Amino acid sequence: MEKREEAKEVVEEEEQVVNPWEVSAKDGGKIDYDKLIDKFGCQRLDESLIQRVQRLTNRPAHVFLRRGVFFAHRDFNDILDAYEKGQKFYLYTGRGPSSEALHLGHLIPFMFTKYLQDAFKVPLVIQLTDDEKCMWKNLSVEESQRLARENAKDIIACGFDVSKTFIFSDFDYVGGAFYKNMVKVAKCVTYNKVVGIFGFTGEDHIGKVSFPPVQAVPSFPSSFPHLFSGNDNIRCLIPCAIDQDPYFRMTRDVAPRIGYHKPALIESSFFPALQGENGKMSASDPNSAIYVTDSAKEIKNKVGVFYDVNCIITHLLRK
């Protein structure tokens, strides 16, 4: 077990709170990403790795790599080692559907994942955690499923390779081999451990405590027998925002104990809110975000001047 992964799994200090459900800094300040790297125990994504990606793919590194939007990783070098030896890997990312449409912040991991799929020519699984949002956002099962279908349309529009991409909702897919892996993970994580990782309290319902294995097991190829039958050793790379790191620190702890490779991660910073870089775009505050379904008039009202989507992304990420 990696020593730094033994540390308390949720960053909750005076200065900032970063976990899968809340991102905030004290007095509206900026998130300290160096502190996150140190506390979470991941590694800074340095120039040597970016250059190696360019060499292996024979194409320029994505702008999100060059500008440091994706800035941290776990074992990304191992993924590149395997690829250089001719071994394939697969990508896993996801979306918790809590709004009618994706906003620009939601698009960041999907845009980058498309680049990775195109550059490395690898399979991709995309998890829609409609069950999670049902439990955390107090949505009905039916409404969570509807939002998942709406969000799936936006994800599909990103242009993934249809022959190499599998999109699934938890409500529709969980069962069989997927559920078997969930049980294996659940048996390896004590109640005290999951409280330490995610900060659950006695007021949280048991659905929240039981959810983490659901997000963990897409990291294991045997969860998808129709995709990877007989290839249980294929490695997994997860592009995600760094607030999802607690799920995968847990997963990486469990993986060797049940016979799988630890998933590798490549992690992004938070996309800034329209009000400034002290916050992040959030579906909880519609005025902080530009949605892919916003009209030109709505975008103009939000930003004060008209930009198309690419101009907005360039403007907000300019260093």
Side-chain angles (χ1 to χ4, degrees):
M1 184 187 303
E2 298 172 1
K3 185 177 179 182
R4 299 181 90 177
E5 291 182 11
E6 297 270 359
K8 185 175 165 118
E9 308 291 355
V10 177
V11 170
E12 276 193 83
E13 301 178 306
E14 261 186 36
E15 293 81 10
Q16 58 188 16
V17 176
V18 176
N19 61 48
W21 311 287
E22 181 181 357
V23 174
S24 64
K26 185 180 180 182
D27 299 327
K30 298 178 183 178
I31 295 296
D32 187 331
Y33 291 106
D34 288 329
K35 183 174 291 185
L36 276 186
I37 286 176
D38 182 61
K39 191 70 176 182
F40 283 177
C42 47
Q43 295 81 46
R44 174 71 67 172
L45 206 157
D46 60 26
E47 183 62 27
S48 65
L49 277 176
I50 297 173
Q51 292 297 322
R52 191 177 181 198
V53 168
Q54 291 189 148
R55 178 173 59 81
L56 290 176
T57 62
N58 198 31
R59 64 169 65 193
H62 195 279
V63 64
F64 293 164
L65 282 177
R66 300 197 305 271
R67 292 191 175 184
V69 176
F70 279 81
F71 71 101
H73 74 100
R74 292 182 182 274
D75 292 347
F76 185 45
N77 50 310
D78 290 350
I79 291 289
L80 298 181
D81 287 346
Y83 183 80
E84 198 161 22
K85 294 173 184 174
Q87 301 169 13
K88 288 289 188 179
F89 63 91
Y90 74 98
L91 299 164
Y92 156 39
T93 194
R95 163 77 183 129
S98 59
S99 56
E100 290 283 340
L102 271 61
H103 61 56
L104 299 189
H106 297 145
L107 282 180
I108 295 300
F110 291 112
M111 294 168 68
F112 187 67
T113 299
K114 183 184 185 310
Y115 155 76
L116 291 173
Q117 184 183 57
D118 292 345
F120 290 99
K121 298 178 175 57
V122 291
L124 162 66
V125 296
I126 300 175
Q127 180 182 40
L128 300 173
T129 56
D130 42 10
D131 52 342
E132 177 195 24
K133 294 308 176 185
C134 177
M135 291 186 283
W136 262 269
K137 296 293 186 179
N138 199 28
L139 299 171
S140 69
V141 170
E142 293 75 19
E143 178 65 0
S144 297
Q145 289 180 300
R146 186 186 72 80
L147 292 177
R149 288 191 293 271
E150 293 302 311
N151 284 196
K153 297 174 186 177
D154 296 337
I155 293 168
I156 291 167
C158 291
F160 295 107
D161 184 337
V162 295
S163 68
K164 291 185 173 69
T165 303
F166 176 57
I167 304 175
F168 67 98
S169 82
D170 288 342
F171 277 133
D172 290 336
Y173 187 75
V174 171
F178 194 98
Y179 184 68
K180 289 177 185 178
N181 279 337
M182 284 171 50
V183 171
K184 291 177 183 178
V185 170
K187 288 178 67 177
C188 291
V189 183
T190 66
Y191 177 74
N192 286 339
K193 180 72 171 176
V194 82
V195 167
I197 294 171
F198 298 104
F200 295 135
T201 71
E203 300 305 309
D204 287 307
H205 58 69
I206 61 174
K208 292 183 178 181
V209 179
S210 67
F211 175 75
V214 185
Q215 187 155 323
V217 301
S219 307
F220 309 142
S222 65
S223 298
F224 306 101
H226 69 295
L227 299 177
F228 306 118
S229 179
N231 197 2
D232 289 351
N233 286 321
I234 187 171
R235 291 179 178 271
C236 176
L237 173 63
I238 304 169
C240 63
I242 198 167
D243 59 342
Q244 299 300 302
D245 192 84
Y247 282 118
F248 301 114
R249 293 202 303 281
M250 181 199 76
T251 308
R252 285 167 56 83
D253 179 36
V254 169
R257 298 158 63 187
I258 58 176
Y260 296 113
H261 291 295
K262 293 181 179 183
L265 282 81
I266 184 165
E267 301 177 311
S268 73
S269 55
F270 304 116
F271 197 78
L274 294 176
Q275 290 86 344
E277 60 183 325
N278 291 350
K280 72 164 189 171
M281 281 198 178
S282 171
S284 301
D285 180 6
N287 291 322
S288 76
I290 292 174
Y291 289 86
V292 297
T293 52
D294 282 349
S295 67
K297 181 178 180 181
E298 288 170 324
I299 294 172
K300 184 176 180 180
N301 289 339
K302 287 181 178 181
V303 302
V305 60
F306 177 75
Y307 296 96
D308 66 24
V309 169
N310 288 329
C311 287
I312 293 165
I313 291 174
T314 300
H315 174 72
L316 292 175
L317 294 179
R318 185 177 296 131
K319 296 243 177 185

